[in-house]
mmCIF file of all heavy atoms in Angstrom:
data_model
loop_
_atom_site.group_PDB
_atom_site.id
_atom_site.type_symbol
_atom_site.label_atom_id
_atom_site.label_comp_id
_atom_site.label_asym_id
_atom_site.label_seq_id
_atom_site.Cartn_x
_atom_site.Cartn_y
_atom_site.Cartn_z
ATOM 1 N N ALA A 5 -192.485 -187.403 31.789
ATOM 2 C CA ALA A 5 -193.472 -186.558 32.588
ATOM 3 C C ALA A 5 -193.198 -186.825 34.037
ATOM 4 O O ALA A 5 -192.910 -187.946 34.457
ATOM 5 C CB ALA A 5 -194.863 -186.991 32.185
ATOM 6 N N ALA A 32 -200.021 -180.298 59.067
ATOM 7 C CA ALA A 32 -200.551 -179.901 57.808
ATOM 8 C C ALA A 32 -199.685 -178.891 57.101
ATOM 9 O O ALA A 32 -199.452 -178.922 55.885
ATOM 10 C CB ALA A 32 -201.979 -179.349 57.956
ATOM 11 N N LEU A 37 -195.679 -177.458 52.876
ATOM 12 C CA LEU A 37 -194.376 -176.904 52.600
ATOM 13 C C LEU A 37 -193.496 -177.914 51.856
ATOM 14 O O LEU A 37 -192.785 -177.583 50.912
ATOM 15 C CB LEU A 37 -193.738 -176.404 53.882
ATOM 16 C CG LEU A 37 -194.262 -175.100 54.441
ATOM 17 C CD1 LEU A 37 -193.742 -174.878 55.840
ATOM 18 C CD2 LEU A 37 -193.862 -173.931 53.559
ATOM 19 N N GLU A 40 -194.651 -178.072 48.273
ATOM 20 C CA GLU A 40 -194.258 -176.891 47.503
ATOM 21 C C GLU A 40 -192.737 -176.893 47.242
ATOM 22 O O GLU A 40 -192.324 -176.530 46.153
ATOM 23 C CB GLU A 40 -194.658 -175.625 48.283
ATOM 24 C CG GLU A 40 -196.165 -175.435 48.332
ATOM 25 C CD GLU A 40 -196.636 -174.279 49.198
ATOM 26 O OE1 GLU A 40 -195.738 -173.837 50.040
ATOM 27 O OE2 GLU A 40 -197.758 -173.904 49.153
ATOM 28 N N VAL A 91 -202.812 -194.315 39.106
ATOM 29 C CA VAL A 91 -202.151 -193.125 38.624
ATOM 30 C C VAL A 91 -201.053 -193.541 37.644
ATOM 31 O O VAL A 91 -200.864 -192.923 36.577
ATOM 32 C CB VAL A 91 -201.495 -192.370 39.836
ATOM 33 C CG1 VAL A 91 -200.497 -191.286 39.372
ATOM 34 C CG2 VAL A 91 -202.563 -191.731 40.641
ATOM 35 N N CYS A 113 -184.841 -185.037 47.185
ATOM 36 C CA CYS A 113 -184.970 -185.490 45.808
ATOM 37 C C CYS A 113 -185.179 -184.291 44.929
ATOM 38 O O CYS A 113 -186.271 -183.696 44.863
ATOM 39 C CB CYS A 113 -186.143 -186.461 45.674
ATOM 40 S SG CYS A 113 -186.344 -187.058 43.968
ATOM 41 N N ALA A 124 -181.434 -193.426 33.751
ATOM 42 C CA ALA A 124 -181.497 -194.850 34.013
ATOM 43 C C ALA A 124 -182.664 -195.475 33.234
ATOM 44 O O ALA A 124 -182.552 -196.676 32.890
ATOM 45 C CB ALA A 124 -181.612 -195.105 35.513
ATOM 46 N N TRP A 158 -198.004 -202.245 52.167
ATOM 47 C CA TRP A 158 -197.782 -200.827 52.326
ATOM 48 C C TRP A 158 -197.684 -200.417 53.773
ATOM 49 O O TRP A 158 -198.338 -200.999 54.664
ATOM 50 C CB TRP A 158 -198.892 -200.043 51.549
ATOM 51 C CG TRP A 158 -198.933 -200.371 50.136
ATOM 52 C CD1 TRP A 158 -199.821 -201.200 49.551
ATOM 53 C CD2 TRP A 158 -198.035 -199.891 49.144
ATOM 54 N NE1 TRP A 158 -199.515 -201.308 48.186
ATOM 55 C CE2 TRP A 158 -198.464 -200.497 47.875
ATOM 56 C CE3 TRP A 158 -196.956 -199.026 49.153
ATOM 57 C CZ2 TRP A 158 -197.783 -200.235 46.728
ATOM 58 C CZ3 TRP A 158 -196.274 -198.761 47.962
ATOM 59 C CH2 TRP A 158 -196.712 -199.346 46.735
ATOM 60 N N ASN A 161 -191.556 -201.702 56.275
ATOM 61 C CA ASN A 161 -190.190 -201.527 55.733
ATOM 62 C C ASN A 161 -189.849 -202.530 54.628
ATOM 63 O O ASN A 161 -188.689 -202.689 54.266
ATOM 64 C CB ASN A 161 -189.170 -201.649 56.854
ATOM 65 C CG ASN A 161 -189.172 -202.955 57.537
ATOM 66 O OD1 ASN A 161 -189.914 -203.899 57.166
ATOM 67 N ND2 ASN A 161 -188.297 -203.127 58.588
ATOM 68 N N ARG A 179 -183.286 -200.353 38.171
ATOM 69 C CA ARG A 179 -182.133 -199.684 38.750
ATOM 70 C C ARG A 179 -182.491 -198.977 40.014
ATOM 71 O O ARG A 179 -183.615 -198.391 40.075
ATOM 72 C CB ARG A 179 -181.629 -198.660 37.730
ATOM 73 C CG ARG A 179 -180.439 -197.777 38.226
ATOM 74 C CD ARG A 179 -179.110 -198.514 38.183
ATOM 75 N NE ARG A 179 -178.810 -198.943 36.744
ATOM 76 C CZ ARG A 179 -178.243 -198.105 35.851
ATOM 77 N NH1 ARG A 179 -177.925 -196.900 36.173
ATOM 78 N NH2 ARG A 179 -177.958 -198.579 34.648
#
Side-chain angles (χ1 to χ4, degrees):
L37 285 167
E40 291 173 346
V91 168
C113 179
W158 299 100
N161 62 2
R179 176 79 59 84

